[in-house]
Coordinates of all heavy atoms in Angstrom, one line a residue:
M1465 N 0.9 -21.2 4.4 CA 0.6 -19.8 3.9 C -0.8 -19.4 4.3 O -1.7 -20.2 4.1 CB 0.9 -19.8 2.4 CG 0.5 -18.4 1.8 SD 0.9 -18.2 0.1 CE 1.1 -19.9 -0.6
I1466 N -0.9 -18.2 4.9 CA -2.3 -17.7 5.2 C -2.7 -16.8 4.1 O -2.1 -15.8 3.8 CB -2.2 -16.9 6.6 CG1 -1.5 -17.8 7.6 CG2 -3.6 -16.5 7.0 CD1 -2.2 -19.0 8.0
M1467 N -3.8 -17.1 3.4 CA -4.1 -16.4 2.2 C -4.5 -15.0 2.4 O -4.2 -14.1 1.6 CB -5.2 -17.2 1.4 CG -4.7 -18.5 0.8 SD -3.2 -18.3 -0.2 CE -3.8 -17.5 -1.6
H1468 N -5.3 -14.7 3.4 CA -5.7 -13.3 3.6 C -4.5 -12.4 3.9 O -4.5 -11.2 3.6 CB -6.9 -13.2 4.6 CG -6.5 -13.6 6.0 ND1 -6.6 -14.9 6.4 CD2 -6.2 -12.9 7.1 CE1 -6.2 -15.0 7.6 NE2 -5.9 -13.8 8.1
D1469 N -3.5 -12.9 4.6 CA -2.3 -12.2 4.9 C -1.4 -12.1 3.6 O -0.8 -11.1 3.4 CB -1.5 -12.9 6.0 CG -2.2 -12.9 7.3 OD1 -2.9 -11.9 7.7 OD2 -2.2 -14.0 7.9
F1470 N -1.5 -13.1 2.8 CA -0.7 -13.1 1.6 C -1.1 -12.0 0.6 O -0.2 -11.4 0.0 CB -0.8 -14.5 0.9 CG 0.1 -14.6 -0.3 CD1 1.5 -14.9 -0.2 CD2 -0.4 -14.4 -1.6 CE1 2.3 -14.9 -1.3 CE2 0.4 -14.5 -2.7 CZ 1.8 -14.8 -2.6
H1471 N -2.4 -11.7 0.5 CA -2.8 -10.7 -0.5 C -2.2 -9.3 -0.1 O -1.6 -8.6 -1.0 CB -4.3 -10.6 -0.4 CG -4.9 -9.6 -1.3 ND1 -5.3 -8.3 -0.9 CD2 -5.0 -9.5 -2.7 CE1 -5.7 -7.6 -1.9 NE2 -5.5 -8.3 -3.0
L1472 N -2.2 -9.0 1.2 CA -1.6 -7.7 1.6 C 0.0 -7.8 1.4 O 0.6 -6.8 1.0 CB -1.9 -7.4 3.0 CG -1.3 -6.1 3.6 CD1 -1.7 -4.9 2.7 CD2 -1.7 -5.9 5.0
A1473 N 0.6 -8.9 1.8 CA 2.0 -9.1 1.6 C 2.4 -8.9 0.1 O 3.4 -8.2 -0.2 CB 2.4 -10.5 2.1
D1474 N 1.6 -9.4 -0.8 CA 1.9 -9.3 -2.2 C 1.8 -7.8 -2.6 O 2.6 -7.3 -3.4 CB 0.9 -10.1 -3.0 CG 1.2 -10.2 -4.5 OD1 2.4 -10.5 -4.8 OD2 0.3 -9.9 -5.3
Q1475 N 0.8 -7.1 -2.1 CA 0.6 -5.7 -2.4 C 1.8 -4.9 -1.9 O 2.4 -4.0 -2.6 CB -0.6 -5.2 -1.6 CG -1.5 -4.3 -2.3 CD -2.7 -3.9 -1.4 OE1 -3.1 -4.6 -0.6 NE2 -3.2 -2.7 -1.7
I1476 N 2.3 -5.2 -0.7 CA 3.4 -4.5 -0.1 C 4.7 -4.8 -0.9 O 5.5 -3.9 -1.2 CB 3.6 -4.8 1.4 CG1 2.4 -4.3 2.2 CG2 4.9 -4.4 2.0 CD1 2.3 -4.8 3.6
F1477 N 4.9 -6.1 -1.2 CA 6.1 -6.5 -2.0 C 6.1 -5.8 -3.3 O 7.2 -5.4 -3.7 CB 6.1 -8.0 -2.1 CG 7.5 -8.5 -2.5 CD1 8.6 -8.4 -1.7 CD2 7.6 -9.1 -3.8 CE1 9.8 -8.8 -2.1 CE2 8.9 -9.5 -4.2 CZ 10.0 -9.4 -3.3
K1478 N 5.0 -5.7 -4.0 CA 5.0 -5.0 -5.3 C 5.4 -3.5 -5.1 O 6.1 -3.0 -6.0 CB 3.6 -5.1 -6.0 CG 3.4 -6.5 -6.5 CD 2.0 -6.7 -7.1 CE 1.9 -8.1 -7.7 NZ 0.5 -8.4 -8.0
T1479 N 4.9 -2.9 -4.1 CA 5.3 -1.5 -3.8 C 6.8 -1.4 -3.6 O 7.4 -0.4 -4.0 CB 4.5 -1.0 -2.5 OG1 3.1 -1.1 -2.8 CG2 4.8 0.4 -2.2
I1480 N 7.4 -2.3 -2.8 CA 8.8 -2.3 -2.6 C 9.6 -2.5 -3.9 O 10.6 -1.8 -4.1 CB 9.2 -3.5 -1.6 CG1 8.6 -3.3 -0.2 CG2 10.7 -3.7 -1.5 CD1 8.5 -4.5 0.6
L1481 N 9.2 -3.4 -4.7 CA 9.9 -3.6 -6.0 C 9.7 -2.4 -6.9 O 10.7 -2.0 -7.6 CB 9.3 -4.8 -6.7 CG 9.6 -6.2 -6.1 CD1 8.9 -7.3 -6.9 CD2 11.1 -6.4 -5.9
D1482 N 8.6 -1.7 -6.9 CA 8.4 -0.4 -7.7 C 9.4 0.6 -7.2 O 10.0 1.3 -7.9 CB 7.0 0.1 -7.6 CG 6.0 -0.7 -8.4 OD1 6.4 -1.5 -9.3 OD2 4.8 -0.5 -8.2
H1483 N 9.5 0.7 -5.8 CA 10.4 1.7 -5.2 C 11.8 1.4 -5.6 O 12.6 2.3 -6.0 CB 10.3 1.7 -3.7 CG 11.2 2.6 -3.0 ND1 11.0 3.9 -2.8 CD2 12.4 2.3 -2.4 CE1 12.0 4.5 -2.2 NE2 12.9 3.5 -1.9
A1484 N 12.2 0.1 -5.6 CA 13.6 -0.3 -5.9 C 13.9 0.1 -7.4 O 15.0 0.6 -7.7 CB 13.8 -1.8 -5.7
A1485 N 12.9 -0.2 -8.3 CA 13.1 0.1 -9.7 C 13.3 1.7 -9.9 O 14.2 2.1 -10.6 CB 12.0 -0.4 -10.5
K1486 N 12.4 2.4 -9.3 CA 12.5 3.9 -9.4 C 13.7 4.5 -8.9 O 14.2 5.6 -9.3 CB 11.3 4.5 -8.8 CG 10.0 4.3 -9.5 CD 8.8 4.9 -8.8 CE 7.5 4.5 -9.5 NZ 6.3 4.8 -8.7
N1487 N 14.3 3.9 -7.9 CA 15.5 4.4 -7.2 C 16.8 3.6 -7.5 O 17.8 3.8 -6.8 CB 15.3 4.4 -5.7 CG 14.2 5.4 -5.3 OD1 14.4 6.6 -5.3 ND2 13.0 4.9 -5.1
N1488 N 16.8 2.8 -8.6 CA 17.9 2.0 -9.0 C 18.6 1.2 -7.9 O 19.8 1.2 -7.8 CB 18.9 3.0 -9.7 CG 18.4 3.6 -10.9 OD1 17.7 3.0 -11.7 ND2 18.6 4.9 -11.1
L1489 N 17.8 0.6 -7.0 CA 18.4 -0.2 -6.0 C 18.7 -1.6 -6.5 O 17.9 -2.2 -7.3 CB 17.4 -0.3 -4.8 CG 17.1 1.0 -4.1 CD1 16.0 0.7 -3.0 CD2 18.3 1.6 -3.4
K1490 N 19.8 -2.1 -6.2 CA 20.2 -3.5 -6.6 C 19.8 -4.5 -5.5 O 19.8 -5.7 -5.8 CB 21.7 -3.5 -6.9 CG 22.2 -2.5 -7.9 CD 21.7 -2.9 -9.3 CE 22.2 -1.9 -10.3 NZ 21.2 -1.2 -11.0
K1491 N 19.6 -4.0 -4.3 CA 19.3 -4.9 -3.2 C 18.4 -4.1 -2.2 O 18.7 -3.0 -1.9 CB 20.6 -5.4 -2.5 CG 20.3 -6.2 -1.3 CD 21.1 -7.5 -1.4 CE 20.9 -8.4 -0.2 NZ 19.8 -9.3 -0.3
I1492 N 17.4 -4.8 -1.7 CA 16.5 -4.2 -0.7 C 16.9 -5.0 0.6 O 16.8 -6.2 0.6 CB 15.1 -4.4 -1.0 CG1 14.7 -3.6 -2.3 CG2 14.2 -3.8 0.1 CD1 13.4 -4.0 -2.8
T1493 N 17.3 -4.3 1.7 CA 17.8 -5.0 2.8 C 16.8 -5.0 4.0 O 16.8 -5.9 4.8 CB 19.1 -4.4 3.3 OG1 18.9 -3.0 3.5 CG2 20.2 -4.6 2.3
K1494 N 16.0 -3.9 4.1 CA 15.1 -3.8 5.3 C 13.9 -2.9 4.9 O 14.0 -1.9 4.2 CB 15.9 -3.1 6.4 CG 15.1 -3.0 7.7 CD 16.0 -2.4 8.8 CE 15.3 -2.2 10.1 NZ 16.2 -1.6 11.1
I1495 N 12.8 -3.3 5.5 CA 11.6 -2.5 5.4 C 10.9 -2.3 6.8 O 11.1 -3.2 7.6 CB 10.5 -3.0 4.4 CG1 10.0 -4.4 4.8 CG2 11.1 -3.1 3.0 CD1 8.8 -4.9 4.1
S1496 N 10.3 -1.2 6.9 CA 9.5 -0.9 8.2 C 8.1 -0.6 7.8 O 7.8 0.2 6.9 CB 10.1 0.2 8.9 OG 11.4 -0.1 9.3
I1497 N 7.2 -1.3 8.5 CA 5.7 -1.2 8.2 C 5.0 -0.9 9.5 O 5.3 -1.5 10.5 CB 5.2 -2.5 7.6 CG1 5.9 -2.9 6.3 CG2 3.7 -2.4 7.4 CD1 5.6 -4.3 5.8
S1498 N 4.1 0.1 9.4 CA 3.1 0.3 10.5 C 1.8 -0.4 10.1 O 1.3 -0.2 9.0 CB 2.9 1.8 10.7 OG 4.1 2.4 11.2
L1499 N 1.3 -1.2 11.0 CA 0.1 -2.0 10.7 C -1.0 -1.8 11.7 O -0.8 -2.0 12.9 CB 0.5 -3.5 10.7 CG -0.6 -4.5 10.4 CD1 -1.1 -4.4 9.0 CD2 -0.1 -5.9 10.6
G1500 N -2.1 -1.3 11.2 CA -3.3 -1.2 12.0 C -4.1 -2.5 12.1 O -3.6 -3.5 11.7
S1501 N -5.3 -2.4 12.5 CA -6.1 -3.6 12.6 C -6.9 -3.8 11.3 O -7.9 -3.1 11.1 CB -7.1 -3.4 13.8 OG -7.9 -4.5 13.9
L1502 N -6.3 -4.6 10.5 CA -6.9 -4.8 9.2 C -7.6 -6.2 9.1 O -7.1 -7.2 9.6 CB -5.9 -4.8 8.1 CG -5.1 -3.5 7.9 CD1 -4.1 -3.6 6.8 CD2 -6.1 -2.4 7.4
V1503 N -8.8 -6.2 8.5 CA -9.5 -7.5 8.4 C -9.8 -7.7 6.9 O -10.2 -6.8 6.2 CB -10.9 -7.4 9.2 CG1 -11.7 -8.7 8.9 CG2 -10.7 -7.2 10.6
E1504 N -9.4 -8.9 6.5 CA -9.6 -9.3 5.1 C -10.3 -10.7 5.1 O -9.7 -11.6 5.8 CB -8.3 -9.3 4.3 CG -8.6 -9.4 2.8 CD -7.3 -9.0 2.0 OE1 -6.8 -8.0 2.2 OE2 -7.0 -9.9 1.2
H1505 N -11.4 -10.9 4.4 CA -12.1 -12.2 4.4 C -12.5 -12.6 5.8 O -12.4 -13.8 6.1 CB -11.3 -13.2 3.6 CG -10.9 -12.9 2.2 ND1 -11.8 -12.7 1.2 CD2 -9.7 -12.6 1.7 CE1 -11.2 -12.3 0.1 NE2 -9.9 -12.2 0.4
G1506 N -12.8 -11.7 6.6 CA -13.3 -12.0 8.0 C -12.2 -12.3 9.0 O -12.5 -12.7 10.1
E1507 N -11.0 -12.2 8.6 CA -9.8 -12.6 9.5 C -8.9 -11.4 9.6 O -8.6 -10.7 8.7 CB -9.0 -13.7 8.9 CG -9.8 -15.0 8.7 CD -9.9 -15.8 10.1 OE1 -9.0 -15.6 10.9 OE2 -10.8 -16.6 10.2
E1508 N -8.5 -11.1 10.9 CA -7.5 -10.0 11.1 C -6.2 -10.4 10.6 O -5.7 -11.6 10.7 CB -7.4 -9.7 12.6 CG -6.5 -8.5 12.8 CD -6.5 -7.9 14.2 OE1 -7.3 -8.4 15.0 OE2 -5.8 -7.0 14.4
I1509 N -5.5 -9.5 9.9 CA -4.2 -9.7 9.4 C -3.2 -9.6 10.6 O -3.1 -8.6 11.2 CB -3.8 -8.8 8.3 CG1 -4.7 -9.1 7.1 CG2 -2.4 -8.8 7.9 CD1 -4.6 -8.2 5.9
L1510 N -2.5 -10.7 10.9 CA -1.5 -10.7 12.0 C -0.1 -10.3 11.5 O 0.3 -10.8 10.4 CB -1.5 -12.1 12.6 CG -2.8 -12.6 13.1 CD1 -2.7 -14.0 13.6 CD2 -3.3 -11.7 14.2
A1511 N 0.6 -9.5 12.3 CA 1.9 -9.1 11.9 C 2.9 -10.2 11.6 O 3.6 -10.2 10.6 CB 2.5 -8.2 13.0
E1512 N 2.8 -11.3 12.4 CA 3.8 -12.4 12.2 C 3.5 -13.1 10.9 O 4.4 -13.6 10.2 CB 3.8 -13.4 13.4 CG 2.6 -13.8 14.0 CD 1.9 -12.8 15.0 OE1 2.4 -11.8 15.3 OE2 0.7 -13.1 15.3
N1513 N 2.2 -13.3 10.5 CA 1.8 -13.9 9.3 C 2.2 -13.0 8.1 O 2.7 -13.5 7.1 CB 0.3 -14.2 9.2 CG -0.1 -15.3 10.2 OD1 0.8 -16.0 10.7 ND2 -1.4 -15.4 10.4
L1514 N 2.0 -11.7 8.2 CA 2.4 -10.8 7.2 C 3.9 -10.8 6.9 O 4.3 -10.9 5.8 CB 1.9 -9.4 7.6 CG 2.1 -8.3 6.5 CD1 1.4 -8.6 5.2 CD2 1.7 -6.9 7.1
E1515 N 4.6 -10.8 8.0 CA 6.1 -10.9 7.9 C 6.5 -12.1 7.2 O 7.4 -12.1 6.3 CB 6.7 -10.8 9.3 CG 8.2 -10.9 9.3 CD 8.9 -10.8 10.6 OE1 8.2 -10.4 11.6 OE2 10.1 -11.1 10.7
F1516 N 6.0 -13.3 7.6 CA 6.3 -14.6 7.0 C 6.1 -14.5 5.5 O 6.9 -14.9 4.7 CB 5.5 -15.7 7.6 CG 5.6 -17.0 6.9 CD1 6.7 -17.8 7.3 CD2 4.7 -17.4 6.0 CE1 6.9 -19.1 6.6 CE2 4.9 -18.6 5.3 CZ 6.0 -19.5 5.7
N1517 N 4.9 -14.0 5.1 CA 4.6 -14.0 3.7 C 5.4 -13.0 2.9 O 5.8 -13.3 1.7 CB 3.1 -13.7 3.5 CG 2.2 -14.8 3.8 OD1 2.4 -15.9 3.3 ND2 1.2 -14.6 4.6
I1518 N 5.8 -11.9 3.4 CA 6.7 -10.9 2.7 C 8.0 -11.6 2.6 O 8.6 -11.5 1.5 CB 6.8 -9.6 3.5 CG1 5.5 -8.8 3.5 CG2 7.9 -8.8 2.9 CD1 5.4 -7.6 4.4
K1519 N 8.5 -12.2 3.6 CA 9.8 -12.9 3.5 C 9.8 -14.1 2.5 O 10.8 -14.3 1.8 CB 10.3 -13.4 4.8 CG 10.8 -12.3 5.8 CD 11.3 -12.8 7.1 CE 11.9 -11.7 7.9 NZ 12.4 -12.2 9.2
M1520 N 8.7 -14.7 2.4 CA 8.5 -15.8 1.4 C 8.6 -15.2 0.0 O 9.3 -15.8 -0.9 CB 7.2 -16.6 1.6 CG 7.1 -17.8 0.7 SD 5.5 -18.5 0.9 CE 4.5 -17.3 0.1
L1521 N 7.9 -14.1 -0.2 CA 8.0 -13.5 -1.6 C 9.4 -13.0 -1.9 O 9.7 -12.9 -3.1 CB 7.0 -12.3 -1.6 CG 5.5 -12.7 -1.6 CD1 4.6 -11.5 -1.3 CD2 5.1 -13.3 -3.0
A1522 N 10.1 -12.6 -0.9 CA 11.5 -12.0 -1.1 C 12.6 -13.1 -1.2 O 13.7 -12.7 -1.3 CB 11.8 -11.1 0.1
Q1523 N 12.2 -14.4 -1.1 CA 13.2 -15.4 -1.1 C 14.2 -15.4 -2.2 O 15.4 -15.7 -2.1 CB 12.6 -16.8 -1.1 CG 12.1 -17.2 0.3 CD 11.5 -18.6 0.3 OE1 11.2 -19.1 -0.7 NE2 11.3 -19.1 1.5
N1524 N 13.8 -15.0 -3.4 CA 14.7 -14.9 -4.6 C 14.7 -13.5 -5.1 O 13.7 -12.8 -5.0 CB 14.2 -15.9 -5.7 CG 14.2 -17.3 -5.2 OD1 15.2 -17.8 -4.6 ND2 13.1 -18.0 -5.4
G1525 N 15.8 -13.1 -5.6 CA 15.9 -11.8 -6.2 C 16.5 -10.7 -5.3 O 17.2 -11.0 -4.4
L1526 N 16.2 -9.5 -5.6 CA 16.9 -8.4 -5.0 C 16.5 -8.1 -3.5 O 17.1 -7.4 -2.8 CB 16.7 -7.1 -5.8 CG 15.3 -6.6 -6.0 CD1 15.1 -5.3 -5.1 CD2 15.1 -6.2 -7.4
A1527 N 15.5 -8.8 -3.0 CA 15.1 -8.7 -1.6 C 15.4 -9.9 -0.8 O 14.9 -10.0 0.3 CB 13.6 -8.3 -1.5
Q1528 N 16.2 -10.8 -1.3 CA 16.5 -12.0 -0.6 C 17.2 -11.6 0.7 O 18.1 -10.8 0.8 CB 17.5 -12.9 -1.4 CG 17.7 -14.2 -0.8 CD 18.4 -15.2 -1.8 OE1 18.8 -14.8 -2.9 NE2 18.6 -16.4 -1.4
G1529 N 16.8 -12.3 1.8 CA 17.3 -12.0 3.2 C 16.7 -10.7 3.8 O 17.3 -10.2 4.7
L1530 N 15.6 -10.2 3.2 CA 15.0 -9.0 3.7 C 14.7 -9.0 5.2 O 14.1 -10.0 5.7 CB 13.7 -8.8 2.9 CG 12.9 -7.6 3.2 CD1 13.6 -6.3 2.8 CD2 11.5 -7.7 2.5
E1531 N 15.0 -8.0 5.9 CA 14.6 -7.8 7.3 C 13.3 -7.0 7.3 O 13.2 -5.9 6.7 CB 15.7 -7.0 8.0 CG 15.4 -6.9 9.5 CD 16.5 -6.1 10.2 OE1 17.6 -5.9 9.7 OE2 16.2 -5.6 11.3
V1532 N 12.3 -7.5 8.0 CA 11.0 -6.9 8.0 C 10.7 -6.5 9.5 O 10.7 -7.3 10.4 CB 9.9 -7.9 7.5 CG1 8.5 -7.2 7.6 CG2 10.2 -8.3 6.1
K1533 N 10.4 -5.2 9.7 CA 10.0 -4.7 11.0 C 8.5 -4.2 10.9 O 8.2 -3.4 10.0 CB 10.9 -3.5 11.4 CG 12.3 -3.9 11.6 CD 12.5 -4.6 12.9 CE 14.0 -4.9 13.1 NZ 14.2 -5.9 14.1
I1534 N 7.7 -4.7 11.8 CA 6.3 -4.3 11.7 C 5.9 -3.8 13.1 O 6.1 -4.5 14.1 CB 5.4 -5.5 11.4 CG1 5.7 -6.0 10.0 CG2 3.9 -5.1 11.4 CD1 5.0 -7.3 9.5
K1535 N 5.3 -2.6 13.1 CA 4.9 -1.9 14.3 C 3.4 -1.8 14.3 O 2.8 -1.4 13.3 CB 5.6 -0.6 14.4 CG 5.1 0.3 15.6 CD 5.8 1.6 15.6 CE 5.2 2.5 14.5 NZ 5.6 3.9 14.5
K1536 N 2.7 -2.3 15.3 CA 1.3 -2.1 15.4 C 0.9 -0.7 15.7 O 1.5 0.0 16.5 CB 0.7 -3.0 16.5 CG 0.8 -4.5 16.2 CD -0.1 -4.9 15.0 CE -1.6 -4.9 15.3 NZ -2.5 -5.2 14.2
I1537 N -0.1 -0.2 15.0 CA -0.6 1.2 15.2 C -2.1 1.1 15.4 O -2.8 0.1 14.9 CB -0.2 2.1 14.1 CG1 -0.8 1.6 12.7 CG2 1.3 2.3 14.0 CD1 -0.6 2.6 11.6
P1538 N -2.7 2.2 15.9 CA -4.2 2.2 16.0 C -4.7 2.5 14.6 O -4.0 3.0 13.7 CB -4.5 3.4 16.9 CG -3.2 4.1 17.2 CD -2.1 3.2 16.7
G1539 N -6.0 2.2 14.4 CA -6.6 2.4 13.1 C -6.7 1.2 12.3 O -6.4 0.1 12.7
N1540 N -7.1 1.4 11.0 CA -7.3 0.3 10.1 C -6.6 0.5 8.8 O -7.2 0.3 7.7 CB -8.8 0.0 9.9 CG -9.5 1.2 9.3 OD1 -9.0 2.3 9.2 ND2 -10.8 1.0 9.0
S1541 N -5.4 0.8 8.9 CA -4.6 1.0 7.6 C -3.2 0.5 7.8 O -2.8 0.0 8.9 CB -4.5 2.5 7.3 OG -3.8 3.2 8.3
W1542 N -2.4 0.5 6.8 CA -1.0 0.1 6.8 C -0.2 1.2 6.1 O -0.7 1.9 5.2 CB -0.7 -1.3 6.3 CG -1.0 -1.4 4.8 CD1 -2.2 -1.7 4.2 CD2 0.0 -1.2 3.7 NE1 -2.0 -1.7 2.8 CE2 -0.7 -1.4 2.5 CE3 1.3 -0.9 3.6 CZ2 -0.1 -1.3 1.3 CZ3 1.9 -0.8 2.4 CH2 1.2 -1.0 1.2
I1543 N 1.0 1.4 6.6 CA 1.9 2.4 6.0 C 3.3 1.7 5.8 O 3.8 1.2 6.8 CB 2.1 3.6 6.9 CG1 0.7 4.2 7.2 CG2 3.0 4.7 6.3 CD1 0.7 5.2 8.4
L1544 N 3.8 1.8 4.6 CA 5.2 1.4 4.4 C 6.1 2.6 4.8 O 6.2 3.6 4.0 CB 5.4 1.0 2.9 CG 6.7 0.4 2.5 CD1 7.1 -0.8 3.4 CD2 6.7 0.0 1.0
E1545 N 6.6 2.5 6.0 CA 7.4 3.7 6.5 C 8.7 3.9 5.9 O 9.1 5.0 5.7 CB 7.5 3.5 8.1 CG 6.2 3.4 8.8 CD 5.5 4.7 9.1 OE1 6.1 5.7 8.7 OE2 4.4 4.7 9.6
K1546 N 9.5 2.8 5.7 CA 10.8 2.9 5.2 C 11.3 1.7 4.4 O 10.9 0.6 4.7 CB 11.7 3.0 6.5 CG 13.2 3.3 6.1 CD 14.1 3.2 7.4 CE 14.2 4.5 8.0 NZ 15.2 4.5 9.2
I1547 N 12.0 2.0 3.4 CA 12.7 1.0 2.6 C 14.1 1.3 2.5 O 14.5 2.4 2.2 CB 12.1 0.9 1.1 CG1 10.6 0.7 1.1 CG2 12.8 -0.1 0.3 CD1 10.0 0.9 -0.2
Q1548 N 15.0 0.3 2.9 CA 16.4 0.5 2.9 C 17.0 -0.5 1.9 O 16.6 -1.6 1.8 CB 17.0 0.2 4.3 CG 16.7 1.3 5.3 CD 17.2 1.0 6.6 OE1 16.6 0.3 7.4 NE2 18.4 1.5 6.9
G1549 N 18.0 0.0 1.2 CA 18.7 -0.9 0.2 C 19.9 -0.2 -0.3 O 20.4 0.8 0.3
E1550 N 20.5 -0.8 -1.3 CA 21.7 -0.3 -1.9 C 21.7 -0.3 -3.4 O 20.9 -1.1 -4.0 CB 22.9 -1.0 -1.3 CG 22.8 -2.5 -1.3 CD 23.8 -3.2 -0.5 OE1 23.8 -3.0 0.8 OE2 24.5 -4.0 -1.1

């Protein structure tokens, strides 16, 4: 587990769970994220590490088997573009 990537993954995952609760979703199946060049604790957050950590957080519960799509974008921010579920 890469800790600087885990912090952002945890932030994103909490946002996903909040969205699910507000929209009465029983399952979250797919998310799409746009990821800029983010540096935390002196290390750039890599898309593959972020994806790994989000999937690890989703292992149990309503996001189990979550599909994660990450698109690199210019800038230094991230955007949760889409959450799909049922």
Side-chain angles (χ1 to χ4, degrees):
M1465 174 175 15
I1466 310 297
M1467 289 311 288
H1468 61 278
D1469 298 317
F1470 184 79
H1471 180 258
L1472 179 58
D1474 188 51
Q1475 221 179 333
I1476 291 169
F1477 193 68
K1478 285 176 180 169
T1479 302
I1480 293 164
L1481 293 178
D1482 285 346
H1483 176 83
K1486 288 176 187 168
N1487 293 281
N1488 297 316
L1489 296 177
K1490 303 289 182 243
K1491 177 129 181 87
I1492 302 167
T1493 54
K1494 182 178 179 180
I1495 62 168
S1496 298
I1497 301 167
S1498 293
L1499 179 66
S1501 180
L1502 296 177
V1503 176
E1504 192 166 307
H1505 302 294
E1507 297 281 333
E1508 184 169 356
I1509 293 177
L1510 302 176
E1512 47 279 353
N1513 292 345
L1514 183 61
E1515 179 180 347
F1516 173 84
N1517 284 311
I1518 291 171
K1519 286 182 175 184
M1520 186 187 69
L1521 288 166
Q1523 279 181 347
N1524 299 312
L1526 63 107
Q1528 189 167 5
L1530 179 67
E1531 183 181 342
V1532 179
K1533 297 285 183 194
I1534 300 176
K1535 174 180 73 172
K1536 290 295 286 177
I1537 59 169
N1540 59 354
S1541 64
W1542 65 273
I1543 303 164
L1544 184 56
E1545 299 284 354
K1546 185 189 265 187
I1547 300 172
Q1548 290 178 273
E1550 45 193 64

